[in-house]
Amino acid sequence: MSVLYPRLLPAETERRFRMLPDRAPADLVSLSSPRAVFAATGGRRVSRDELSDLRSTLMAEAERCGFPAPCSTAERIDFDRVAMRIVFSQCHMTPGEASNRQVWAFIALVLLPDVCVWRWPIDKDGEFPRDRFKGTDLTRHAFGRLWTRAHVLYDPLAEDPYHLFDVLGEEAMDQVMSRRSALGASPPLVRAIVRTHVEDTESIPGIPARDVFRESLTRLLRITAFTDLDAAEESELGLLVRQTRAEARASLVER
Amino acid sequence: MGELKDELLPAALEAWDYSTDLRTTRVVGIDLSNLRADSGLSENDPLRLVVRYWPSTSLIRSVAYRKDLPIEVGHTVCEINIVAKGADLGGTLTIETVVELAADLNHNEPFIARKRGSILWSDQTKVHLEGGAGLLPVAPVSFSEAGLPGNAAWYVSMDGGDWEQAAMGSLLILLNEDNSVVRKAMQGSSEEASILWATLEVDIVADLVGRALDDEAFMDYPTSEDPDGDLTMAGLIRALVRTYLLRPGEAVEQAVKRIGDERRRDPSRFRVSVQSGVKFLGGNS
């Protein structure tokens, strides 16, 4: 049975987000909020023990990565890498529940505000990045984006279903997921893109791999405008992505 | 495309949650000869029929049906039965039926499809899953614990400002469990409960329409071409106006302007109009 999570009411989400600059994040931590509600049906409600376990596990990883001291880029990447597995494997959310932004607002602003503030501190504009806390865009939320990425990268047929989780860096993965409706909405296509990126060892001096990756995404995007890739087998998608990468590399050489 | 006979999906399902898988059937008749001829393809070029679906929440697409279509046959009929897993769904579900090329073709003719998966024909239908009695229109809450006025009966909570959101995902009516009358009304029907719910109905219509009238973003939000199928917040407000507040011969946009003027002049008169519109306590019957 799927697990339902508290949904933080919009007004409370805004109130808690506005409190962040003035309060110690640890003071905002709680396992529940009277201003959060559950979906009426569709699963069983997550227990306080499960929420406590989720918090403890993620907090332990944050501490391993330097929490509460300000984190370096390497520590942020390390934390996200491990947190992605934890959030995906421990939450037992259905995709429907995971696409509810108020669920992620609860996790960021009630269950783990201290970890979220540590991972996404005040930016150069002097503000906390709201989309990382409030869930206005799930491809950017501190934890929602990790669940979403894990969901499309999880490879059920592989010996290690998590083997694709750590392949792409933040920027490259962001390029895939930000083209959400065309590319990111097709888990088999995302897996083919990531798998092929690993397997493609061809290297041409002066043509960085990231340029080949970016150009191939642009070309795939064009193809999705008039073709249906969802009905293709994973092997067909692998072939298509390999061909597209080869064409992308050739076009970069010609420029 | 030939004749189509489909099980018409309603604009919204009456009851749905994650544990409810959706099953639907469609019979598709395809004039293969004309389809191939119109597409510039030969009688032997392979085609397939595909049905895919995706919810508006995660946008993750799934394929529910895939069938290679016969070659050298003029006409075919396919009965499509699909099941969409409830756990993957939410918001509005889009179901798309597609006829596409089933293999790469080796030609260089311009304007003729040659890539596997090229879409030759498609048809979409949408169903709101979280409309009507959807996920969570109502929730019992202890107002004293929730920091809301403890002696109140209910609170109409709306995710403000985004009129494009699915209405039932943005709207939540909190009922005060601390209030004994409300608590009793939630447990069963009685005359007292009927009066309470009738009062709540007036409150919901007055609150929601009032909030919309106060927001310029709503006034600028374009009217849907399919008002009956529009279950966004904006669509819900217009439906409330159309159902309860419209005068004979009046368009919804005219009514919105009239009601807005009326509410600015005399808010009590606006509330009276709502009471009359919803036939509060049975109206004049």
Side-chain angles (χ1 to χ4, degrees):
Chain A
M1 180 182 274
S2 63
V3 179
L4 303 175
Y5 280 74
R7 300 174 173 198
L8 195 62
L9 295 178
E12 180 65 3
T13 300
E14 190 57 44
R15 192 181 75 88
R16 280 186 163 257
F17 180 72
R18 279 205 304 264
M19 285 162 67
L20 288 178
D22 305 322
R23 296 276 297 272
D27 293 346
L28 298 173
V29 173
S30 177
L31 297 180
S32 65
S33 166
R35 295 173 188 175
V37 295
F38 288 90
T41 58
R44 67 166 179 84
R45 296 182 177 192
V46 68
S47 68
R48 284 178 69 88
D49 286 348
E50 285 170 316
L51 286 174
S52 178
D53 284 349
L54 181 62
R55 175 174 166 76
S56 304
T57 317
L58 285 166
M59 176 53 90
E61 286 306 323
E63 286 170 343
R64 187 183 61 76
C65 296
F67 177 93
C71 50
S72 65
T73 303
E75 287 166 337
R76 281 199 291 269
I77 292 170
D78 191 14
F79 174 75
D80 280 356
R81 188 176 55 79
V82 181
M84 181 156 73
R85 288 175 188 242
I86 294 169
V87 170
F88 185 68
S89 62
Q90 204 169 318
C91 284
H92 302 294
M93 277 189 208
T94 61
E97 183 76 348
S99 57
N100 185 292
R101 55 188 177 167
Q102 290 163 266
V103 162
W104 295 109
F106 174 87
I107 290 177
L109 289 164
V110 178
L111 189 65
L112 291 152
D114 44 358
V115 174
C116 208
V117 161
W118 166 77
R119 173 61 184 87
W120 295 100
I122 288 173
D123 60 22
K124 59 181 186 300
D125 298 327
E127 293 179 353
F128 285 106
R130 60 182 56 238
D131 48 359
R132 306 296 184 179
F133 289 81
K134 292 168 64 174
T136 43
D137 176 354
L138 290 183
T139 64
R140 294 182 58 76
H141 187 272
F143 299 107
R145 87 188 200 296
L146 299 180
W147 192 97
T148 307
R149 288 178 187 186
H151 179 61
V152 296
L153 289 174
Y154 186 80
D155 194 351
L157 300 178
E159 195 176 331
D160 171 16
Y162 298 100
H163 72 110
L164 297 175
F165 278 28
D166 307 333
V167 172
L168 289 187
E170 174 76 18
E171 188 193 341
M173 199 60 211
D174 202 39
Q175 284 175 28
V176 177
M177 297 309 289
S178 62
R179 295 161 168 97
R180 195 172 163 211
S181 61
L183 305 180
S186 169
L189 179 59
V190 175
R191 289 197 292 270
I193 290 169
V194 176
R195 210 178 280 129
T196 310
H197 183 70
V198 185
E199 293 166 357
D200 186 354
T201 53
E202 188 175 341
S203 172
I204 296 177
I207 309 289
R210 68 170 181 276
D211 288 0
V212 175
F213 182 76
R214 194 177 294 135
E215 177 65 20
S216 67
L217 289 188
T218 306
R219 286 167 178 265
L220 281 171
L221 205 58
R222 271 184 230 143
I223 292 171
T224 59
F226 60 89
T227 57
D228 160 33
L229 300 183
D230 300 321
E233 302 291 341
E234 293 221 13
S235 57
E236 294 171 21
L237 289 173
L239 182 64
L240 173 73
V241 176
R242 281 196 294 280
Q243 284 172 346
T244 308
R245 284 183 68 95
E247 289 164 11
R249 184 175 281 114
S251 82
L252 290 168
V253 170
E254 283 173 15
R255 283 180 195 171
Chain B
M1 216 56 207
E3 58 183 334
L4 292 173
K5 251 178 33 181
D6 49 358
E7 295 274 330
L8 289 178
L9 282 169
L13 293 185
E14 285 298 310
W16 174 85
D17 67 23
Y18 302 142
S19 57
T20 309
D21 294 343
L22 298 185
R23 186 183 303 275
T24 185
T25 299
R26 181 176 211 186
V27 178
V28 183
I30 309 172
D31 184 342
L32 288 165
S33 298
N34 273 331
L35 175 65
R36 286 193 167 98
D38 289 350
S39 306
L41 301 172
S42 76
E43 286 292 305
N44 296 324
D45 289 335
L47 304 178
R48 70 182 162 200
L49 181 64
V50 172
V51 177
R52 54 184 182 170
Y53 64 85
W54 60 92
S56 60
T57 46
S58 71
L59 300 178
I60 299 284
R61 292 189 298 271
S62 304
V63 172
Y65 179 90
R66 179 178 10 207
K67 185 188 180 188
D68 288 335
L69 296 171
I71 54 173
E72 295 176 345
V73 170
H75 189 272
T76 189
V77 175
C78 301
E79 182 176 330
I80 303 170
N81 294 293
I82 69 159
V83 178
K85 272 177 64 184
D88 294 340
L89 310 179
T92 299
L93 176 67
T94 301
I95 305 171
E96 185 175 45
T97 309
V98 176
V99 176
E100 61 188 39
L101 266 189
D104 288 332
L105 300 183
N106 189 21
H107 71 75
N108 287 314
E109 292 294 320
F111 309 117
I112 295 178
R114 60 172 177 268
K115 219 169 184 53
R116 181 204 304 260
S118 293
I119 296 171
L120 305 177
W121 177 89
S122 72
D123 176 61
Q124 284 187 6
T125 186
K126 294 182 185 228
V127 55
H128 285 269
L129 301 178
E130 298 179 60
L135 269 184
L136 192 60
V138 174
V141 165
S142 165
F143 274 28
S144 56
E145 287 177 22
L148 291 165
N151 294 321
W154 51 69
Y155 171 52
V156 180
S157 169
M158 193 192 124
D159 192 354
D162 190 352
W163 300 103
E164 206 171 352
Q165 278 286 315
M168 292 306 155
S170 310
L171 179 65
L172 182 60
I173 314 300
L174 300 179
L175 300 175
N176 186 6
E177 286 178 327
D178 304 334
N179 186 310
S180 60
V181 177
V182 172
R183 202 167 54 239
K184 218 159 83 184
M186 284 191 284
Q187 285 162 357
S189 58
S190 64
E191 192 179 340
E192 201 174 28
S194 301
I195 294 171
L196 199 74
W197 301 142
T199 312
L200 173 59
E201 188 179 9
V202 171
D203 247 18
I204 291 172
V205 176
D207 273 11
L208 295 183
V209 175
R211 285 181 71 152
L213 294 173
D214 288 340
D215 188 345
E216 284 180 13
F218 169 77
M219 307 302 270
D220 296 338
Y221 191 84
T223 309
S224 168
E225 289 175 5
D226 175 21
D228 291 330
D230 182 3
L231 292 187
T232 61
M233 272 313 296
L236 173 65
I237 302 295
R238 291 199 169 98
L240 292 175
V241 170
R242 194 168 58 244
T243 308
Y244 297 122
L245 301 168
L246 211 58
R247 286 178 176 169
E250 193 176 40
V252 171
E253 296 313 309
Q254 292 169 322
V256 167
K257 186 171 182 321
R258 172 182 57 77
I259 298 161
D261 292 342
E262 182 179 270
R263 186 163 172 271
R264 270 189 296 280
R265 278 197 312 273
D266 185 352
S268 298
R269 175 62 196 245
F270 163 71
R271 192 161 276 273
V272 165
S273 297
V274 173
Q275 283 185 19
S276 175
V278 304
K279 296 187 172 57
F280 181 52
L281 303 180
N284 61 3
S285 59

